[in-house]
Amino acid sequence: MKVQVNIKTLASETVTIGLTVAPEDDVQTIKERVALLEPNPFPQSDLSLAGAKLPEGKTLAACGVKDGVILDFEAKPSEDALASQLAELLTSRGALPTEELGLLYTLKHGVTVGVVLQALGKHELLGDFLGKFSKRFSVEGGQAKLVDEKPKDLPARAPVALGKIPEDAAVQALDIVVDVALELPAGRTRGEELSLRVGASDTVGDLKAMVAAAILVPFAGALSAIAFGGKDLPDGERLSEAGVGDGARLAFTAHGSEEALSAQLREILASRGPLSRVDLDNLYCCRYGVGAGEALRMLGWGEKLSAFLQRHPGFWLDGGHVSLSEAAPVVPPCAAAVANRPYLDLHEELCADDFHAKVAEGVDALAALLSDGTFLNVRRAAPGGAAVSGTGVPGAAGAE
């Protein structure tokens, strides 16, 4: 028999899948099958029918599950579960850089640590999360390791009189909203709204790091900007000095460019040394939410990551490995990328401001028709490629 399962993802979205099951299948087996289709690192989850949770030890038939019913699956995020999973990795591998620990977690559980922390309502970096479990983890110089749980004898200390904590506006906690956008050569995209709790003494640079860690924005580096009241704020300025108060709304914009992508790749290579193209792509994905190849396609260039690295100063490719080199060969942009530029410029001149909105509306309507009228389950629609007078423009998402 066939059933539908509504899966609540870690991003609080709902994904519907169809499963062919047998009446004698138990509830735990169905949970495991769902977890394979939609990555879920948390061991605790609920499978419900009409709002009633199904016990793991029973079969579907015993729970009254029949052909065509709709089941609901929801994972139960837990800080302790995440801490235990990270501790397991450190136990088997020893001390690791927090970046490498995050990569290993992604490879093992299928989701990034940033997504898991966001599901827990934690808009913070992995190192900050580990610091809250000081009895289990130690983070020094970017290296994470397990703490020896054996208690140590500490010398007795004389009691210290505590003074009154000053009530300073600089230590005030603020609840703010940040509108996040990505500025690309093909146009502005990825508008999201992020609610954060920050300190009035936090700097604009601190806020940038929090935003980038919360939603993993590509190109969120030196070329990103925070604006308040229509004015860009300098990184070193404190939020209180900029007049940001409780309930304020700010705008975060990451400007996608070749320079930003190159700087991010160079930063990874500088900290890790030579890497294969696959490892470099994976590390970029763990840090910024998309692979380096996908970030390159977002810029609108019709070339692969290897071609980008070969022609960009500062990179050296040798036998499939990428390293930093001031003497890297400089290769002009590929012919396809140069040929595409006039079409993209013409697109910007001809298209109305609501062009992308109309395209998105049409694609959503098509996805709904496919889901309702066929056996297909459309999870998402992503722009990629284009057509200009019948000629394909590789990598030029949104070109008419």
Side-chain angles (χ1 to χ4, degrees):
M1 61 182 179
K2 294 184 178 180
V3 299
Q4 286 190 354
V5 183
N6 293 330
I7 306 172
K8 185 176 181 181
T9 68
L10 296 180
S12 297
E13 299 174 346
T14 299
V15 175
T16 301
I17 63 172
L19 287 180
T20 300
V21 299
E24 59 271 17
D25 289 341
D26 58 38
V27 173
Q28 180 60 29
T29 300
I30 303 303
K31 287 184 179 181
E32 293 172 355
R33 290 180 59 186
V34 171
L36 289 175
L37 295 172
E38 184 66 32
N40 165 40
F42 297 110
Q44 300 297 325
S45 59
D46 290 333
L47 188 66
S48 305
L49 173 62
K53 298 179 183 179
L54 305 183
E56 294 185 356
K58 289 190 176 182
T59 64
L60 297 181
C63 295
V65 176
K66 299 180 181 179
D67 185 48
V69 303
I70 299 177
L71 302 175
D72 296 302
F73 177 91
E74 182 178 1
K76 296 297 181 182
S78 165
E79 291 187 25
D80 291 335
L82 175 58
S84 298
Q85 291 165 342
L86 295 171
E88 181 181 349
L89 291 173
L90 291 174
T91 300
S92 60
R93 300 296 296 271
L96 292 169
T98 54
E99 180 181 291
E100 185 173 343
L101 178 60
L103 173 60
L104 289 173
Y105 186 93
T106 302
L107 296 176
K108 183 171 183 179
H109 297 285
V111 294
T112 66
V113 175
V115 171
V116 174
L117 289 174
Q118 187 174 359
L120 290 169
K122 306 293 182 182
H123 303 299
E124 58 191 0
L125 300 174
L126 175 57
D128 296 330
F129 174 81
L130 295 174
K132 295 180 179 179
F133 291 82
S134 57
K135 293 184 178 180
R136 301 183 65 179
F137 305 101
S138 172
V139 181
E140 296 180 0
Q143 290 275 335
K145 63 180 181 180
L146 292 174
V147 174
D148 186 2
E149 297 183 357
K150 183 178 179 181
K152 299 180 180 180
D153 295 331
L154 299 177
R157 299 176 60 183
V160 178
L162 298 179
K164 182 180 179 180
I165 299 177
E167 297 181 359
D168 190 346
V171 298
Q172 178 185 1
L174 305 175
D175 290 317
I176 64 173
V177 177
V178 181
D179 294 320
V180 181
L182 188 57
E183 193 75 37
L184 297 172
R188 195 177 182 89
T189 184
R190 195 178 176 175
E192 296 186 24
E193 184 179 289
L194 183 64
S195 297
L196 291 174
R197 170 160 288 188
V198 298
S201 60
D202 290 339
T203 65
V204 174
D206 295 334
L207 180 57
K208 284 185 180 181
M210 293 175 65
V211 173
I215 58 175
L216 299 176
V217 183
F219 312 112
L223 296 180
S224 62
I226 292 282
F228 179 58
K231 176 185 176 183
D232 287 346
L233 305 179
D235 286 356
E237 187 174 20
R238 296 183 183 274
L239 298 181
S240 58
E241 296 171 348
V244 177
D246 194 46
R249 180 178 288 268
L250 297 91
F252 174 95
T253 304
H255 297 274
S257 66
E258 280 199 26
E259 292 75 14
L261 176 58
S262 175
Q264 291 171 333
L265 294 173
R266 288 172 63 87
E267 182 182 354
I268 294 174
L269 291 171
S271 62
R272 301 299 301 276
L275 295 167
S276 69
R277 289 195 300 270
V278 174
D279 288 340
L280 179 60
D281 192 67
N282 287 337
L283 284 172
Y284 188 94
C285 180
C286 290
R287 181 174 293 188
Y288 299 107
V290 299
E294 177 62 23
L296 186 59
R297 285 190 289 274
M298 293 170 68
L299 292 175
W301 290 104
E303 62 181 344
K304 295 183 178 180
L305 177 60
S306 57
F308 172 83
L309 295 172
Q310 286 176 345
R311 70 174 180 80
H312 218 278
F315 300 105
W316 178 260
L317 274 72
D318 183 18
H321 284 74
V322 185
S323 59
L324 292 175
S325 173
E326 297 301 326
V330 179
V331 181
C334 67
V338 174
N340 288 344
R341 191 69 258 167
Y343 293 121
L344 295 177
D345 294 339
L346 181 62
H347 162 74
E348 292 298 325
E349 294 180 15
L350 296 180
C351 291
D353 293 337
D354 61 347
F355 170 73
H356 292 287
K358 290 181 178 179
V359 170
E361 181 180 351
V363 172
D364 288 342
L366 175 61
L369 288 174
L370 289 173
S371 297
D372 294 340
T374 71
F375 61 89
L376 298 173
N377 291 320
V378 182
R379 288 187 58 182
R380 66 187 181 94
V388 182
S389 300
T391 303
V393 182
E400 185 178 20

